[in-house]
Amino acid sequence: MEETMALSAALAAGGLAWLAPKAWRRLQLSRAKHRSLAGHSRMAKRLATWLPGYAYDEQHFFNCDGAALPVVRQREAAFKALCADFAKRYAASIAMTAEAREGLSDLQFTGSYRVPFQFSPYLRERLKLGAFFNAADGVMLEDLDGNRFYDLTGSYGVNVLGVDAYKACIAQAVKDAEALGPVLGGLHPAVLRNVQRLKAISGLDEVSFHMSGTEAVMQAVRLARYHTGRSHLVRFCGAYHGWWEDVQPGPGNPLPPRETYTLKDMDAKSLAVLRSRKDVACVLVNPLQALHPNRPAPGDSSLLDSGRTAGFDRSAYTQWLKDLRQVCTERGIVLIFDEVFLGFRLAQGGAQAYFGVQADMVTYGKTLGGGLPVGVVCGRAALMKRFREERPADICFARGTFNAHPYVMTAMSAFLDRLETPDVQALYEGLDERWSERFKAWNASLAEQGLPVQIAHLSTVATVLFTRPSRYNWMLQFYLRAEGLALSWVGSGRMIFSLNYTDDELAHVRAKFAAACQAMLRDGWWLPAAEQSNQQIRRRVLGEVLRTRLGWR
C-alpha cells in the first residue's frame, strides 16, 4: 500500500514537473498579448459573430449623440445640401459606379465600410460617390466629370515618386519588353539587372519574384518554416501582412488562428516569449506599425468616437527593432521585414536602411513594380534554397505563372533606374526633416484656427486624429472630397502623400483641409467638448448593441 502511494506521489510530482514549464510558457504567451481585441484573435472572431447588425433611421442618423434640436436641423440641412452637390458635380462618375457595383463585389464591400455600420445604409442610399477616375498628372486626379482632386490616396502605397514617374516606367517597360513580349518560362534580361540591384539594396544574397505582396509574404514564411523545422510565425498586434490565413487571424478570416502567435508590439514580454519558445520559425515586422503600434489600420469605419491614436517615435522603434534582431539571432528565429507598403518610401534603402537594422528576409511590392503588380522576397542564401541535395523529395515549392513577367521586370528595372537619378535622389535628401517640418506647421495652423483635429505621421503617411469627442468624425472624409481632396475608401485614417509634393501644393491641401474642418464645425457635426466624452459615447453605443442583441430595439 505504501509502495503504491509512493509511486502515485512520484507520478504526480513528475506530471507537475512536466506541466509546470508548459504552463509557464502558456502564461508568458498570454501576458505578451495586447489587451485589445486586436491582440486576441479568437475572442475577436467570437465577438464579430455575436455583434448584431442594426442601422439608424433618419432621426438617429442625425441625433445619435443627443444633440439639441437646432443642431440636428443644421446637420440635416447640411447633409441634404452635400448630397445634392455630389449628385450634380460627380454625376457621370456616380452613374458608372452604380452600374459597376452590381457586378463588382469590391465596390459593394468598400462602399459599405466607409463609415461605422450603424450609419452606412442611410448614408449609402443618399450620399452617392464616384469610384472612377480617367486621368492623373502631378499630384492630381481627375474624375469622369472633369473634377480635379489632390491625390491623398497614394494608390494604396504604390505612389511614392508621383504618378508621372510610374507612367514613364510603364512606357519604358513596354518599349524594353516589346521584342520578347509576354513570353513566360524564359527570363527577360531585365531580371538579372533587377536581381543585382535588389541584392545591393536589401543587403541579402538571393531574390525571388512573385505577383503580389501577399504572395511574397507567404513565400517568406514558408521558407522560414522549411529551413527552421518550426511551425509558428509571430506577428504583432494590428499589423497587416496580406490577407492569407496565417497572417490575418481574427475577423475577416473564416478560419481560426492556427500556427500564429499575435504578440504586443514594442513590449519586453514579447521578447521573453521569443526567448522561451522552441516552435517559432519567424517574426514578421511591418514597419508601418511604428505609426500606430498595436492598432490595426485606422479606417473611418471604426470611428465610433474620437479615440483614434497614433504617433511615431523613431528612437523607440529603432531600439525595438534592434532588440528583436538580437533575440532572433540568439534563438535562430528568422526575422522578416515586410516592406511591401513602406519599402522605398522612408529611404532609398527601405526600412532596413532607415532604422539601421538588417533582417534575414525582406519582402517588397507595390512601388517596386514601377506601377505594375509585383511581390519580391530577398533573403540569405541559406534561407532561400527550396530543396535539399541530401533529400531530393523534400522541397519547398513556390511557383507562379506570371512570376518574373517580362513587362513587370522591365517596369521594375525602369523604377530602379529612376531611383538613381539626381531628381529622385534630391527627393530623399532631408526627407524626414522636410516632412516633419511640414506637418509641424500644419498642426500649428489647425490649432491656431481652433479646429479639433491634429495629424500624426510617419514620413509621408499621415493619420488624422480628433481632439474633441464626436460620433461624426467619419463625415470629414466627405467634406474633404467636396473640397477637392481624394482619399481612399479607408478615409481620414490613411492619407498618403507622394514625395514629389511641393510646398505650394501642400499649402493648397492644407487650405482645403482647413476649409473642410471649418464646414464640419459650422454644420454642427462637432459639438462643444464639454457636451460629451469618449467614454459616454462608448457606453451609449454598447447600450444600443445590447438592446439590439436582446431584441429590445
Side-chain angles (χ1 to χ4, degrees), residues 189 258 547:
R258 293 171 296 183
R547 287 193 297 274

Side-chain angles (χ1 to χ4, degrees), residues 99-238:
E99 185 176 355
R101 184 179 287 115
E102 295 181 7
L104 189 58
S105 58
D106 280 357
L107 277 179
Q108 297 166 23
F109 179 84
T110 56
S112 297
Y113 285 88
R114 285 181 176 273
V115 303
F117 70 87
Q118 301 96 328
F119 298 95
S120 186
Y122 185 90
L123 181 133
R124 294 200 313 270
E125 185 179 337
R126 291 161 179 80
L127 186 60
K128 305 297 184 180
L129 300 175
F132 287 87
F133 296 96
N134 64 5
D137 59 89
V139 296
M140 305 298 292
L141 299 173
E142 185 175 305
D143 70 5
L144 307 188
D145 301 272
N147 297 293
R148 302 269 292 174
F149 301 85
Y150 283 93
D151 182 8
L152 308 186
T153 72
S155 295
Y156 297 121
V158 171
N159 187 359
V160 173
L161 302 182
V163 67
D164 295 317
Y166 300 94
K167 288 183 179 182
C169 287
I170 292 172
Q172 186 65 46
V174 171
K175 181 180 178 181
D176 292 345
E178 185 176 14
L180 180 61
V183 172
L184 305 173
L187 299 175
H188 188 281
V191 170
L192 177 58
R193 298 198 301 273
N194 292 339
V195 167
Q196 291 169 337
R197 287 185 287 186
L198 287 170
K199 286 171 59 178
I201 288 168
S202 68
L204 295 165
D205 307 318
E206 296 184 13
V207 180
S208 67
F209 297 106
H210 307 272
M211 282 307 296
S212 71
T214 291
E215 286 185 29
V217 173
M218 291 171 72
Q219 174 64 358
V221 171
R222 174 175 280 195
L223 284 167
R225 286 169 166 165
Y226 176 67
H227 287 289
T228 62
R230 302 171 189 172
S231 57
H232 281 64
L233 68 88
V234 164
R235 61 184 288 274
F236 293 106
C237 180

Side-chain angles (χ1 to χ4, degrees), residues 21 63 70 106 118 139 158-159 252 257 259 281 316 344 407 460 480 493 521:
N63 191 29
D106 280 357
Q118 301 96 328
V139 296
V158 171
N159 187 359
E259 287 80 29
F344 306 100
Y407 287 89
T460 54
L480 292 174
L521 272 175

Side-chain angles (χ1 to χ4, degrees), residues 287 321 337 339 342-347 349-357 364:
L321 293 180
F337 274 18
E339 296 200 39
L342 277 187
F344 306 100
R345 183 171 289 276
L346 299 179
Q352 288 190 113
Y354 183 80
F355 291 107
V357 176
Y364 300 110

Side-chain angles (χ1 to χ4, degrees), residues 419-468:
L419 282 185
E420 298 172 4
T421 62
D423 286 347
V424 170
Q425 289 181 352
L427 293 177
Y428 285 105
E429 290 175 7
L431 178 67
D432 240 24
E433 295 78 8
R434 180 165 62 255
W435 282 89
S436 291
E437 285 301 314
R438 285 173 167 180
F439 282 109
K440 181 180 179 181
W442 193 347
N443 281 327
S445 175
L446 292 169
E448 288 169 6
Q449 296 175 71
L451 299 172
V453 292
Q454 287 283 281
I455 301 173
H457 76 102
L458 167 56
S459 189
T460 54
V461 181
T463 295
V464 179
L465 307 179
F466 301 91
T467 61
R468 185 182 300 180

Side-chain angles (χ1 to χ4, degrees), residues 473-494:
N473 293 318
W474 49 266
M475 275 295 297
L476 178 60
Q477 63 176 289
F478 305 111
Y479 280 80
L480 292 174
R481 178 176 283 250
E483 290 293 332
L485 303 181
L487 304 178
S488 76
W489 69 276
V490 175
S492 64
R494 186 74 84 228

